[in-house]
Amino acid sequence: MSKAISTFGALKLAQDQIADLDQQLLKRKLRTTSSACNPNILVSGRELKAFCSNDYLGLANHPEIAKALTEGVEKYGVGSGASHLISGHNIAHEQLEKKLASLQTPYIPQAQALFFSTGYLANITAITSLARLAPQGNTSIYSAKLNHASLIDGIRLASAQTNAAVTLFDHTELQTFIESIKNDQRPQKIIVTDGVFSMDGDLAPIKKLLEIAEQYDALLLVDDAHGFGVLGKQGHGILQQENIYSDRIIYVGTLGKAAGVSGAFICAHNPFVEWMIQKGRPYIYSTATPPAIAHALLKSIEIIDSDEGKQRRAHLHRLIDIWQKEMHFSTWEKISSCTPIQPLILGSNASALLAAKLLDDAGYWIPAIRPPTVPIGSSRLRVTFSASHSEDELRALIQTLQSIERHILEKKL
């Protein structure tokens, strides 16, 4: 005898809301891969040319890093067993944190690093713990409007916990922001920004933001998720590229993008990191990342810092240069970027989805990016390059994209 499916309130709400997303062309769908992260990737049994990952240096399937991960498993097993402050803090974590701190020491005095399983946890920990330095209602947080969701959620949580005042600012036009912070009487101020904005690929004006932080006695938190490994002569990130040195900087770097593995880290002047160990709830109450991951990351950092890393960054910049010189459109808007993130603005959800489908038909994987990830009316293709892509592969993509744009324009005529 069949059982009737109930339609209680919450279930019906979920069904209706999902149907509404579908109608607005905003429903997201999972696609399953069955191969390593490479330019050529198996998706549901089909091989596609991927120009959508954040594996900027092509390290996600590097044989030496894979070997290091195996070594880590052999030495430390597959789990950490507890949070860092119980028994989960392994010598591999310690070595990785010291190495990461040494990379940022030229830019942050007395730098100390803290390793996390994700960038999301790192950002939430940094923002919520720093907001608790001052008594309730005595903190102001200034956030760039296009910041990543993890920064936004960290700020929302910090505001709810500490009654911090939150002000958004446009990173391309700072005068209004300067007027706000100049008149702010709260004793603690935190400026929060991405280093590289993940959907446009442009850089935050870090030097100018640091000047403002110094003038108005604020901290500057920089999430360099898309800059670490890519920017700077040795790939140390945006602080190296901009030649910055300050004890006001709270630096967050991601290790699952250009570093090719997993996790993230916070690096800051020693007292700030010690405070996060004491008051950073996501750090205190999360099981530590498997030590084998930290062991593999030590090899990744070694490669980033080596001649091989330099060569991979040089090739990446050749790809960016080819794109800037040879990729031209009739109606699609190309946002120029000095990073591997190269967005194409198509406007409507329908246009972005159609272009993504035509790319898929042609053997490419570049998903449509739609609201709320980007503002309404700016749906796009977010093209990303990897050092594993060849120049010929990029030129073939350019020809395919230009052909798809012509096809869409002809259909509209």
Side-chain angles (χ1 to χ4, degrees):
M1 185 171 126
S2 64
K3 294 183 179 179
I5 298 175
S6 65
T7 54
F8 61 90
L11 178 60
K12 187 172 189 309
L13 279 173
Q15 292 168 337
D16 290 347
Q17 295 280 21
I18 292 167
D20 186 53
L21 288 174
D22 205 11
Q23 188 175 18
Q24 296 178 65
L25 303 179
L26 291 174
K27 184 180 176 184
R28 298 173 179 179
K29 298 177 182 178
L30 287 171
R31 299 189 73 180
T32 303
T33 66
S34 54
S35 59
C37 181
N38 271 321
N40 296 308
I41 193 163
L42 284 175
V43 185
S44 301
R46 291 177 61 219
E47 183 173 282
L48 296 177
K49 186 72 67 179
F51 278 88
C52 58
S53 87
N54 297 322
D55 182 28
Y56 302 130
L57 295 183
L59 298 182
N61 195 31
H62 195 290
E64 290 184 34
I65 301 174
K67 181 182 176 183
L69 180 60
T70 302
E71 290 171 354
V73 170
E74 290 171 352
K75 290 182 73 172
Y76 308 118
V78 296
S80 63
S83 66
H84 285 278
L85 290 171
I86 301 298
S87 63
H89 194 65
N90 185 274
I91 190 171
H93 299 130
E94 188 80 8
Q95 291 170 340
L96 176 62
E97 288 174 347
K98 286 182 177 178
K99 181 62 179 177
L100 291 166
S102 74
L103 298 186
Q104 300 303 320
T105 294
Y107 326 111
I108 301 172
Q110 298 180 40
Q112 183 177 338
L114 208 57
F115 177 49
F116 292 81
S117 57
T118 69
Y120 219 106
L121 282 181
N123 278 331
I124 289 175
T125 299
I127 296 167
T128 56
S129 58
L130 290 172
R132 296 178 70 188
L133 279 169
Q136 281 271 338
N138 282 275
T139 297
S140 292
I141 302 175
Y142 293 87
S143 175
K145 288 180 179 178
L146 297 184
N147 276 342
H148 186 264
S150 57
L151 294 172
I152 294 169
D153 287 355
I155 291 166
R156 287 171 175 167
L157 183 56
S159 180
Q161 289 177 338
T162 68
N163 199 27
V166 178
T167 302
L168 303 183
F169 68 89
D170 181 347
H171 72 278
T172 66
E173 194 288 302
L174 297 177
Q175 193 54 47
T176 303
F177 164 47
I178 292 170
E179 291 300 318
S180 294
I181 198 169
K182 181 167 64 175
N183 296 314
D184 191 340
Q185 299 302 311
R186 291 180 182 85
Q188 177 171 244
K189 305 171 188 69
I190 307 169
I191 302 168
V192 180
T193 184
D194 277 331
V196 178
F197 290 93
S198 60
M199 290 298 121
D200 287 348
D202 60 329
L203 305 187
I206 297 298
K207 282 188 175 179
K208 182 61 178 175
L209 290 174
L210 182 56
E211 288 176 12
I212 295 168
E214 289 171 342
Q215 185 172 359
Y216 299 105
D217 193 20
L219 294 174
L220 175 58
L221 188 152
V222 181
D223 177 7
D224 202 26
H226 299 273
F228 181 75
V230 174
L231 299 179
K233 184 177 179 181
Q234 295 163 281
H236 295 177
I238 196 166
L239 302 185
Q240 182 179 54
Q241 174 147 317
E242 298 298 319
N243 193 28
I244 279 173
Y245 185 77
S246 174
D247 55 5
R248 295 179 181 274
I249 297 284
I250 312 297
Y251 181 86
V252 181
T254 298
L255 300 167
K257 295 179 173 65
V261 188
S262 179
F265 66 98
I266 299 171
C267 194
H269 197 340
N270 173 276
F272 293 127
V273 174
E274 285 296 332
W275 176 253
M276 292 176 201
I277 292 172
Q278 305 307 316
K279 296 296 181 179
R281 291 171 65 85
Y283 180 80
I284 296 168
Y285 297 111
S286 293
T287 297
T289 303
I293 297 292
H295 189 77
L297 279 163
L298 283 165
K299 175 56 69 174
S300 172
I301 301 304
E302 180 185 318
I303 293 170
I304 287 172
D305 214 23
S306 70
D307 286 342
E308 180 184 344
K310 184 178 179 180
Q311 291 163 7
R312 285 174 178 262
R313 283 187 292 278
H315 177 67
L316 197 56
H317 288 296
R318 281 197 298 275
L319 296 178
I320 294 168
D321 190 54
I322 289 170
W323 175 269
Q324 297 298 343
K325 290 178 178 176
E326 300 182 18
M327 183 74 266
H328 303 290
F329 293 105
S330 299
T331 59
W332 292 354
E333 180 187 353
K334 183 179 79 172
I335 298 179
S336 295
S337 168
C338 65
T339 77
I341 301 168
Q342 301 292 332
L344 300 175
I345 312 299
L346 279 66
S348 71
N349 299 336
S351 294
L353 286 168
L354 175 58
K357 182 183 183 306
L358 293 173
L359 279 164
D360 187 270
D361 293 343
Y364 290 93
W365 191 8
I366 304 175
I369 307 294
R370 294 157 288 160
T373 305
V374 294
I376 293 171
S378 69
S379 292
R380 67 194 65 189
L381 299 174
R382 179 181 179 269
V383 180
T384 56
F385 305 147
S386 167
S388 295
H389 290 127
S390 71
E391 294 181 18
D392 288 344
E393 287 171 333
L394 176 56
R395 288 193 167 99
L397 171 65
I398 288 172
Q399 292 177 0
T400 301
L401 283 166
Q402 289 171 334
S403 175
I404 287 173
E405 189 201 27
R406 285 195 300 270
H407 174 77
I408 292 174
L409 284 174
E410 288 167 1
K411 284 191 70 176
K412 288 181 178 179
L413 294 176

